[in-house]
Amino acid sequence: MGNTKDNKARLASSRITGISIPLGAVCTKKNTVIGEYTVLPDLAKFCKKAGIGLIQLLPVNDTGMQSSPYSGLSAFALHPIYIDLKELPEFKALYESDKKFAKNYDSFVKDNPYDAKVRYNYEKVLTKKDELLRALYETTEIAKNAAADAELEKWIKKNPWIVNYAVYKSLKYKYMQASWKSWEEKDQHVSEKEIKARWTKASNQKENLFYAWTQMRAAEQFKKACDAVKKAGILLKGDMPILMNEDSCDAWALPGIFNQNLRAGSPVDNENPSGQNWGFPTYNWAYLKEHDYSWWKDRLKSAEQYYSAYRLDHILGFFRIWAIPTRDTTAILGHTDPYVPMSRSCLNAAGFDDGKIRWLSQPHVPTGAIEDITWNHDSATKILEKFCDRIGNEELWLFKKSVSGDKDFYESDLSSLCQGDAEGRVKSVLSKYWNDRALIEITENNFVPVWTYSDSTSWKSLNGDEQWRLKQQIEIAENQQNKLWETQSDEILSALTNSVNMIPCGEDLGANLPCLPYVMDKNGILSLRVYRWCRKWNIQPEMPFVLFNDLPKLSVCTSSVHDSSTLRQWWDEDKGGVQEFVRTYPHFFGIEGWDNDAKRRLADEGYSPEKGEAFLKALATANSDFCIHPLQDFLSMEKKYWLENSDDERINIPGTVSEFNWTYRLPALLEDISKDESLVAKIKGIADAHNGGK
């Protein structure tokens, strides 16, 4: 069993340059519809030729009908969309003997041609592959006898998670892929014993074993491909999403692992005035600790079959997560979890009586706020009576204890009390008041501050002395929380990183916890440095870049990530950032001395392959052990690979849901990219610059 010392020793032996890419993007002459598990050996050959030592993949877990690889339906199951049908042992015989199947397969390939300018249709490809996989499965003795053969039986014993997954997928199929929360009650809440009974039930066997057979074949293909990558001397790095879809097999079968009444997200910021509500359940860390973090350890051990390194997505969530009540649509009333509360007695001692605490923690809704919309006092009163209790005889109301979130407003029918667009406006106003508070009573007589407490009506009504005293109480709790977060994260991450011998990397973007660098370094976890954002924000007027030598050795330096614009886009869109980069590192662009006009002109000119090469060569000199860039950024060093619209080279646009996201394909087939000696030489030059910088 490996440990963090093993990982650090391994890192000390070399500096590594890598590429990051979604598997589905890598098309070849044999895999024209979508990149599949079997493309990895050829990708490794290209990397070897170009001096690349690491391939980082986006998650390849089953995500069902959702294209986002971070919306997993299972912590363990591989995505069947990446199975290479031609390479399945059942394919050749059926293709040669069954004209209908052969025609169906050929039309699938023909109807989804590779086109560098067109993204693949995720739902169409997945649906057709499922149909073809089912046809192949029907030819097996497993399907004919509705019983596992020796090969599958052996695989099932090694992968016990398949029981929950297969039963869950069978029910998803029965309910036409609907969320398990909309299933009949008898199927929604099922015990471990009941799941096992459904797994072994004779009438369920054929369908259950289809999913087991599919996963066995996927694992065989992926493992064979990963072994070939390893044999080529290339590290393969996987991606571990921290959260699970609330519609996942794990949330359905293992509810104790999750806080079903909380959803993860992020607090309010300049770009997200309502915060972000991701809709994924948070973890019940107390339950996980009680079970020695076995579920997480099993995830990592499963991944270790394939990978030599892994990325822990949103590592901040292991320290503390932004937890949002499940009945809220926004993240405004979220809170950190774990947290240190302010008790009622402490607030009383600080000079806040119960009346003042009520004013700070319970929004007060004036009748006029609704009457201004309905233009009718009686209608306004009837609306408020549905959700609120009147304070005495005042035209002022408090929300009922039964109201648990703004979904209660949005899901109510108020049409009989409102006319025209008034119903929507009333609901928006109620939601606005629901969020208008300085404190949240998180448990009885225990409070936490709202992230935006200083914007609340109740905070603004306090005098200067009251604001100072309340802020002191908030700061005391926050200081205690920092120690709590350090203790929790160190315990969890130590347990996880020591359970496998993969190199751990953490996605710590936007994290500013004082304890985070210490805990990550202590556990040998590489941090992430997207260099365009590595600046001394709000410290100096020009916000200079953190110098390459000041980046931590135990880090991954990168030009961009799957959620950001590409290098080419950044250069053309962020003129201020580019100007500062050129001002800091002019010699990489052939500018010597103090020729500020030349620096300004170069930064203001549009992106070019030469500038891209200079930028990536500059990043190669950073102190970071790993330099991993999206393959698109490497390809931008040759203009022939540019798409007409640079936006089309992005992988994902956060905050949007569309067919565009996650369905990117490389602008050329892998064979053609591999033959491009000019591109290969440029990439090798960048890799050599990084290796030589040790």
Side-chain angles (χ1 to χ4, degrees):
M1 184 65 65
N3 53 44
T4 52
K5 290 184 179 179
D6 295 333
N7 294 330
K8 286 183 178 180
R10 204 170 167 193
L11 285 171
S13 63
S14 65
R15 287 160 61 88
I16 300 170
T17 301
I19 61 167
S20 63
I21 192 73
L23 180 58
V26 188
C27 291
T28 70
K29 291 178 181 178
K30 295 179 181 178
N31 312 79
T32 55
V33 176
I34 184 176
E36 297 166 322
Y37 297 121
T38 54
V39 305
L40 287 172
D42 289 332
L43 183 60
K45 290 176 185 175
F46 163 72
C47 289
K48 191 75 173 177
K49 186 177 179 182
I52 294 295
L54 180 147
I55 298 169
Q56 177 177 315
L57 296 177
L58 267 61
V60 293
N61 292 84
D62 184 5
T63 58
M65 301 307 293
Q66 295 196 40
S67 61
S68 169
Y70 295 94
S71 187
L73 293 189
S74 169
F76 303 95
L78 295 174
H79 208 315
I81 201 171
Y82 302 124
I83 293 175
D84 186 338
L85 298 172
K86 303 182 305 298
E87 294 300 316
L88 293 175
E90 297 84 2
F91 181 84
K92 184 178 179 182
L94 185 60
Y95 186 83
E96 292 177 351
S97 65
D98 188 329
K99 290 182 179 179
K100 183 180 178 181
F101 174 83
K103 183 179 179 181
N104 202 10
Y105 175 79
D106 290 343
S107 66
F108 164 63
V109 176
K110 184 180 178 182
D111 293 345
N112 295 278
Y114 168 76
D115 186 336
K117 298 178 182 178
V118 179
R119 297 189 168 219
Y120 62 86
N121 186 314
Y122 176 87
E123 184 174 342
K124 183 178 177 183
V125 172
L126 178 60
T127 302
K128 197 64 179 180
K129 274 205 171 181
D130 181 74
E131 179 187 328
L132 293 166
L133 281 165
R134 287 179 181 275
L136 289 164
Y137 174 65
E138 288 294 337
T139 69
T140 67
E141 291 300 316
I142 301 167
K144 292 172 183 175
N145 300 322
D149 61 13
E151 180 188 26
L152 182 57
E153 192 68 45
K154 182 179 178 182
W155 187 87
I156 289 169
K157 286 182 179 178
K158 287 185 176 180
N159 297 274
W161 55 265
I162 194 64
V163 173
N164 291 342
Y165 173 77
V167 174
Y168 164 83
K169 288 287 281 189
S170 294
L171 286 166
K172 286 282 281 184
Y173 189 73
K174 169 187 170 183
Y175 287 103
M176 301 179 68
Q177 306 305 322
S179 165
W180 66 264
K181 294 199 168 184
S182 67
W183 298 351
E184 293 178 31
E185 181 64 28
K186 66 182 178 65
D187 293 327
Q188 278 192 37
H189 305 290
V190 185
S191 68
E192 181 182 355
K193 184 178 179 180
E194 288 172 318
I195 292 173
K196 287 181 178 177
R198 293 180 184 217
W199 164 256
T200 56
K201 189 176 180 180
S203 59
N204 297 339
Q205 278 289 283
K206 184 177 177 180
E207 181 70 10
N208 286 340
L209 292 175
F210 165 68
Y211 298 106
W213 169 82
T214 300
Q215 284 301 311
M216 179 180 70
R217 292 294 184 231
E220 286 172 351
Q221 278 195 3
F222 193 33
K223 183 68 164 65
K224 183 178 178 182
C226 293
D227 288 346
V229 173
K230 189 178 294 185
K231 189 174 181 180
I234 308 293
L235 292 176
L236 193 61
K237 179 182 174 185
D239 197 335
M240 302 291 290
I242 182 175
L243 299 167
M244 298 301 302
N245 193 319
E246 72 171 333
D247 184 32
S248 66
C249 158
D250 303 84
W252 171 74
L254 305 168
I257 289 174
F258 305 94
N259 292 315
Q260 299 289 348
N261 61 335
L262 294 172
R263 296 292 173 267
S266 60
V268 171
D269 58 36
N270 291 333
E271 294 183 3
N272 300 284
S274 296
Q276 295 181 51
N277 187 333
W278 302 329
F280 297 157
T282 64
Y283 287 111
N284 181 346
W285 286 115
Y287 177 93
L288 284 162
K289 179 179 180 179
E290 185 182 338
H291 292 81
D292 195 31
Y293 306 108
S294 59
W295 181 81
W296 260 102
K297 289 178 179 179
D298 288 344
R299 281 187 78 182
L300 291 174
K301 288 171 185 174
S302 179
E304 194 175 23
Q305 299 173 80
Y306 312 112
Y307 305 118
S308 300
Y310 63 102
R311 171 187 178 272
L312 282 170
D313 173 50
H314 191 60
I315 199 169
L316 183 62
F318 292 95
F319 290 74
R320 54 96 171 140
I321 199 81
W322 190 250
I324 305 156
T326 190
R327 293 292 297 167
D328 275 341
T329 60
T330 73
I332 294 172
L333 297 185
H335 60 85
T336 59
D337 186 21
Y339 61 88
V340 172
M342 299 176 288
S343 68
R344 182 180 293 273
S345 58
C346 284
L347 289 171
N348 289 156
F352 298 96
D353 61 25
D354 289 348
K356 185 69 76 172
I357 292 173
R358 189 188 75 173
W359 170 243
L360 290 165
S361 62
Q362 296 187 45
H364 291 56
V365 188
T367 309
I370 306 302
E371 190 174 348
D372 286 347
I373 301 172
T374 64
W375 292 97
N376 184 293
H377 182 79
D378 288 342
S379 294
T381 300
K382 287 177 181 177
I383 290 170
L384 285 165
E385 285 174 345
K386 288 175 69 71
F387 307 109
C388 303
D389 294 319
R390 189 193 292 270
I391 301 176
N393 294 319
E394 297 182 63
E395 294 294 344
L396 205 58
W397 306 71
L398 297 175
F399 286 107
K400 295 177 183 290
K401 296 291 185 183
S402 58
V403 175
S404 53
D406 60 6
K407 287 183 182 179
D408 290 358
F409 316 136
Y410 291 121
E411 293 175 2
S412 294
D413 182 3
L414 305 178
S415 57
S416 64
L417 299 170
C418 303
Q419 295 181 354
D421 66 349
E423 182 176 10
R425 290 160 57 206
V426 164
K427 291 177 179 179
S428 294
V429 166
L430 287 170
S431 180
K432 177 184 175 184
Y433 274 96
W434 174 255
N435 292 319
D436 184 17
R437 60 185 87 187
L439 303 178
I440 304 168
E441 188 169 11
I442 198 159
T443 59
E444 188 175 2
N445 293 320
N446 286 294
F447 302 83
V448 294
V450 175
W451 186 265
T452 52
Y453 67 85
S454 60
D455 294 330
S456 67
T457 299
S458 55
W459 168 267
K460 291 176 181 177
S461 73
L462 301 179
N463 62 41
D465 178 61
E466 288 173 323
Q467 289 183 352
W468 179 81
R469 283 186 278 117
L470 182 55
K471 201 164 186 178
Q472 271 204 322
Q473 294 300 308
I474 292 171
E475 288 176 355
I476 290 169
E478 286 178 346
N479 289 335
Q480 292 173 340
Q481 280 177 169
N482 283 321
K483 187 62 182 176
L484 182 66
W485 298 336
E486 178 182 333
T487 301
Q488 170 175 289
S489 60
D490 187 32
E491 180 178 295
I492 295 170
L493 293 172
S494 175
L496 300 190
T497 56
N498 283 307
S499 69
V500 290
N501 195 29
M502 295 185 288
I503 299 170
C505 304
E507 185 275 291
D508 56 336
L509 300 180
N512 57 2
L513 301 186
C515 63
L516 189 136
Y518 163 74
V519 172
M520 289 183 69
D521 185 68
K522 179 182 177 184
N523 288 285
I525 304 171
L526 284 79
S527 59
L528 180 61
R529 296 293 184 268
V530 183
Y531 194 69
R532 66 177 74 169
W533 299 327
C534 292
R535 300 174 68 175
K536 298 177 182 178
W537 305 106
N538 303 319
I539 295 176
Q540 297 179 32
E542 66 272 21
M543 292 177 288
F545 280 89
V546 175
L547 296 179
F548 289 143
N549 285 341
D550 292 334
L551 294 183
K553 185 176 185 295
L554 206 64
S555 69
V556 177
C557 181
T558 186
S559 53
S560 52
V561 291
H562 58 261
D563 279 339
S564 76
S565 58
T566 61
L567 172 57
R568 178 184 164 202
Q569 284 180 296
W570 173 74
W571 189 284
D572 287 337
E573 295 170 1
D574 185 4
K575 294 299 182 184
V578 173
Q579 286 178 6
E580 184 60 27
F581 185 86
V582 174
R583 187 192 71 77
T584 307
Y585 303 110
H587 55 287
F588 285 105
F589 300 93
I591 300 173
E592 303 296 337
W594 299 93
D595 191 345
N596 290 326
D597 287 338
K599 296 175 189 175
R600 193 175 299 109
R601 282 197 306 272
L602 186 139
D604 289 343
E605 292 168 358
Y607 185 77
S608 69
E610 294 74 24
K611 290 168 187 167
E613 182 179 5
F615 183 91
L616 293 173
K617 245 178 191 173
L619 262 59
T621 66
N623 192 42
S624 305
D625 276 322
F626 282 10
C627 256
I628 305 173
H629 310 301
L631 188 49
Q632 299 100 298
D633 288 353
F634 281 118
L635 293 176
S636 72
M637 296 189 297
E638 292 288 340
K639 201 162 188 176
K640 70 178 94 169
Y641 300 120
W642 290 16
L643 296 181
E644 184 177 350
N645 185 344
S646 61
D647 291 346
D648 292 335
E649 295 170 359
R650 285 192 66 147
I651 292 173
N652 177 52
I653 302 174
T656 67
V657 178
S658 70
E659 292 182 358
F660 173 92
N661 288 341
W662 312 109
T663 54
Y664 169 77
R665 287 197 279 205
L666 291 179
L669 295 173
L670 181 59
E671 292 90 343
D672 296 327
I673 293 173
S674 298
K675 292 175 185 175
D676 190 333
E677 297 301 331
S678 174
L679 174 69
V680 167
K682 289 178 180 179
I683 297 176
K684 196 169 190 312
I686 291 165
D688 288 344
H690 186 230
N691 294 339
K694 182 180 176 183

